[in-house]
Amino acid sequence: MPLVPLLDVDNLHARYGQARVLHGVSLTVSPGEVVVLLGANGAGKTTLLRAITGHVERTGSIKFAGTDITRASPAAIVSLGLVQVPEGRGTFADLTVQENLRLGAYTRRVTAAALALEISEIVERFPILGERAGQRAGLLSGGEQQMLAIGRALLARPRLLVLDEPSLGLAPTVTRAVFDTLRELHDEQGLSLLVVEQNADLSLGIADRAYVLEAGEIQVDGPAAAIRDDAGLRRAYLGY
Amino acid sequence: MLALQLLVDGVGKGAIYAALALAIVVAHRSTGLINFAQGEFATLSAMLTVALTGLGLGVWPALAVAAAASFAAGALIQVVIVRPAMRRDLVPVVIMIGLYVCANAIGQLTFGQNPRPLEGLFPAGGLVFGGIRVQWSLIGVILLQAVVITALTLFFVRTKIGLGFRAVATAPEASRVAGIPVERMHMIGWGIAAALGAVAGVSLTNLGVYVESHMMTTVLVYSLAAVTIGGFDSALGAIVGGAIMGVVESLVTGLVPGVSGDVGILVSLTIIVLILLSRPQGLFGRERVARV
Amino acid sequence: MSESRPVRAAANAALVLALVLVPLFFEPFRVTQFTQILVVAIAVAGLNLLTGFTGQVSVGHSAFFGIGAYVTGVLIVHAGVPMTAAIIAGTLSGGIAGALFGIPSLRIKGTHLAIVTLVLAASLPAVLSTFSEITGGTEGLRVPRITPPRGSFLAADQTRYYVVLGALLLVVLGVFMLDRSRTGRALRALGDNEIAAVTYGVRPMRLRIGVFAASSTITALAGALFAVTSGFISSTTSYMTIVGSIVFLTALVIGGRALLAGPLAGAAIAELLPAQISRYSPEWANFAYGAILIALLLLAPGGISSLRFRRRRSHPAPHVLPAPLQQEETPHDTDDTRDQAQPTTRIG
């Protein structure tokens, strides 16, 4: 890689209390790159994302845009532009769609007028959010909530968007729409993406590179296309 | 006619129960704990107000300073005592009781045993229409709570911090992911609750109660009943519940022969038990998985 | 349970012997103080029964203590009931009140139960001062004290001490036997996991009400004995107010789970320490109770859950689910960690 990586994870260990989950994971995402992280249930994928975004006990080194964020707080990490869309979408069910979007910009200093403008841009991309602006987020469908979660994350002005299982619980057509949106965001704004997915086929389709995590260690690392075309690898790690 | 007079008086008391109930709800929404010491905090705030007026400050500025100091103290207690306790099994409940006793003792130690009056916030005198007496102070107390509640509502709905607070109350984990400083919101919640308590405590003195270390004991009980009626997470419920309890207390102790002020507490106890048995989420609360 | 059974039995026997000998070597003032410690220890043993078996916390036990004390005192003073009968009546009244509160405690748990018991504790002094013609209100009620039987070589203070000690030992023996019984096992299973316990045939309703009633009966007995050993009760006596509940809780947390030594040590420390502090003013004692309780809970690693009676190895309760207290934040992705050093496959 000629470029300095945007995200540079080196020898990362993480644990929940006594349970060690990650054993020295190294991973990079370059500016403008789409990277997918694959692996079976229980491989440590969510933990890896949560460790990167500052939500689990961790040791090792995590650098984002040249800044060491290994010990940074979640809020500080978000304000640097490393923004996560958590598994299960993590919208605020009791708040309105509009309020959910406003919360996206929580870590930034923006005037009310500027924020309103930015929200209208998001609504242009996801028109359904405009129609539902005054409704409680808990009343949205799964796909709409995923759109809301992505929209909210975009309002934090991410340089790297980290998504945990964006297809979880969604119908296939909705999943496809979510991935189309991600592709667009990457193509139009050069947004870097790190995506954890069970749906290997679809995610490898939009990714530049892929990692396969198993039992807390990176087992495979390479261009997405190569992994997709390697029948042996697919059978061994991806189960199809 | 007596009933109507009692009703009016009850609404005045109810406004104070509502204010303290609201404080309990705000603290509960931020940290999921019922602060049993909320009433005692309010007592300390009222004592501080008395002390400040003793230094020559007007009663309104004294209330403002006491409310600000209460905010700081509430926030500090959240950080130092509540936060370390929050992730444990029933420990917080017992700690809240410990806080209650400590705060009460501090009041007795610093203020002494002798009740002292506080200068009124509102002019003396009042209105009489149709045989019913309404003191200016009663109207003032109700208006003051209305202003405070409106300001608080605007804060929670309109401001960024207020929005962040509600987000944390709804989903702490998702809030953390969105970069909202969850711990700071907990702290602010306890601060606001304590400041609300200051208003409740000083308002109580305007209904003729002297400042002393037990002034809020029964108020706390009625406010807990109000919170139970309204639902532990519902601000609207706290206000309505407070009004209901004020009126119920006034009518029961005024109309039922042989029931004096203190036994009204048993009415609260009965209401609390009945509501928790039949509708634990309260009349306004949404059903949710119990968090213990 | 680190020591072996014989060692524990020997330690308990030594403790009982010491307790029996103590009043022979101290002046009456001290013996009276020790008697009060034993009274509190009985109340704590009652609370221990509830918390130990169910993990529930009551902040209303001062009310049961007060009911026991006042029913006993009022019956003796105003109705001329013989002392023994009055003590029994006082104790049972507390038990009945406890059973009444045991019924809501079936459905009301955690913080909500704490609210109910707190309000209960706050109600008692108010009720007492309302019926001040009988109870004496804040002025208090003078109750005749236990006197030595005719021809006894014991002094009055020693007699009172031994009566209370006897009651304490009976209570502890009762709790010990309950703990070892089938019922005890059912209770522990219920505390661990109600749904699982029900599938094993445990009947939660009866057990819960029963435990609550037994716990409040014991604490009411402490109250009754307090009335006839101290000779004076009033609505401001600290054991009758919320402070009483705090004293019992503090003692419980200090003493821990041991059946006899726990309540004793807890009661001794909770009684003596604030007494030292409160020489200047009694409010300091209240402050000390609150502060000690908070400090202990923040510093003790296990918190209240460490007070739960443990399952005995020899009688494993049905091998049910993990303790509900440990389900804090289950990670989504945890896996067992096999340290297989496989090299990363690099492609391209």
Side-chain angles (χ1 to χ4, degrees), chain B residues 239-252:
Chain B
I239 295 162
V240 176
I244 291 176
M245 285 315 297
V247 171
V248 164
E249 181 208 7
S250 183
L251 291 182
V252 168

Side-chain angles (χ1 to χ4, degrees), chain C residues 14-340:
Chain C
L15 180 58
V16 171
L17 186 66
L19 286 171
V20 170
L21 293 178
V22 151
L24 306 178
F25 297 98
F26 285 90
E27 59 211 284
F29 163 72
R30 285 287 164 203
V31 175
T32 304
Q33 196 176 27
F34 294 149
T35 308
Q36 186 148 328
I37 291 174
L38 294 184
V39 166
V40 173
I42 294 176
V44 175
L47 190 57
N48 195 14
L49 182 68
L50 179 70
T51 306
F53 276 124
T54 67
Q56 289 186 332
V57 173
S58 161
V59 288
H61 266 51
S62 61
F64 301 126
F65 188 96
I67 289 170
Y70 267 93
V71 171
T72 305
V74 167
L75 283 180
I76 295 173
V77 173
H78 293 293
V81 174
M83 186 179 286
T84 315
I87 292 175
I88 292 172
T91 306
L92 292 181
S93 311
I96 291 165
L100 285 178
F101 276 86
I103 296 166
S105 85
L106 295 175
R107 288 190 58 189
I108 301 173
K109 305 206 167 93
T111 308
H112 293 176
L113 185 66
I115 291 174
V116 172
T117 52
L118 175 79
V119 173
L120 176 68
S123 305
L124 186 77
V127 175
L128 291 177
S129 49
T130 304
F131 299 106
S132 54
E133 282 147 39
I134 322 173
T135 63
T138 49
E139 299 296 306
L141 188 68
R142 297 219 157 270
V143 183
R145 301 205 275 177
I146 296 175
T147 47
R150 215 181 298 271
S152 158
F153 60 91
L154 291 171
D157 57 287
Q158 291 168 328
T159 312
R160 287 176 208 127
Y161 177 94
Y162 283 121
V163 169
V164 178
L165 178 62
L168 174 65
L169 293 179
L170 279 178
V171 163
V172 169
L173 189 66
V175 175
F176 176 73
M177 279 161 57
L178 178 64
D179 186 37
R180 313 210 68 183
S181 70
R182 245 177 69 90
T183 315
R185 250 178 299 150
L187 276 168
R188 279 196 302 276
L190 191 62
D192 271 357
N193 187 311
E194 175 161 352
I195 295 166
V198 170
T199 64
Y200 282 94
V202 171
R203 281 188 257 182
M205 229 163 81
R206 280 191 193 184
L207 285 176
R208 283 247 168 76
I209 297 177
V211 166
F212 215 98
S215 165
S216 54
T217 305
I218 295 170
T219 304
L221 170 65
L225 291 172
F226 177 77
V228 295
T229 53
S230 77
F232 178 73
I233 50 180
S234 95
S235 67
T236 54
T237 303
S238 63
Y239 299 123
M240 320 281 177
T241 66
I242 292 173
V243 173
S245 292
I246 300 285
V247 174
F248 305 151
L249 278 169
T250 310
L252 180 68
V253 173
I254 294 175
R257 170 186 337 114
L259 292 180
L260 176 61
L264 261 179
I269 295 171
E271 279 295 302
L272 296 177
L273 190 61
Q276 290 300 312
I277 300 166
S278 66
R279 251 183 243 159
Y280 310 99
S281 72
E283 291 78 28
W284 275 110
N286 291 357
F287 181 79
Y289 282 128
I292 291 171
L293 190 61
I294 292 173
L296 277 173
L297 288 177
L298 289 184
L299 301 176
I304 295 284
S305 56
S306 67
L307 298 175
R308 296 274 286 270
F309 296 151
R310 268 198 229 152
R311 282 186 220 150
R312 234 183 317 283
R313 287 267 158 71
S314 46
H315 300 279
H319 191 221
V320 282
L321 315 178
L325 308 171
Q326 281 156 8
Q327 315 172 332
E328 269 193 18
E329 187 179 293
T330 328
H332 301 295
D333 258 355
T334 33
D335 197 0
D336 57 343
T337 51
R338 289 161 292 157
D339 271 71
Q340 39 174 220

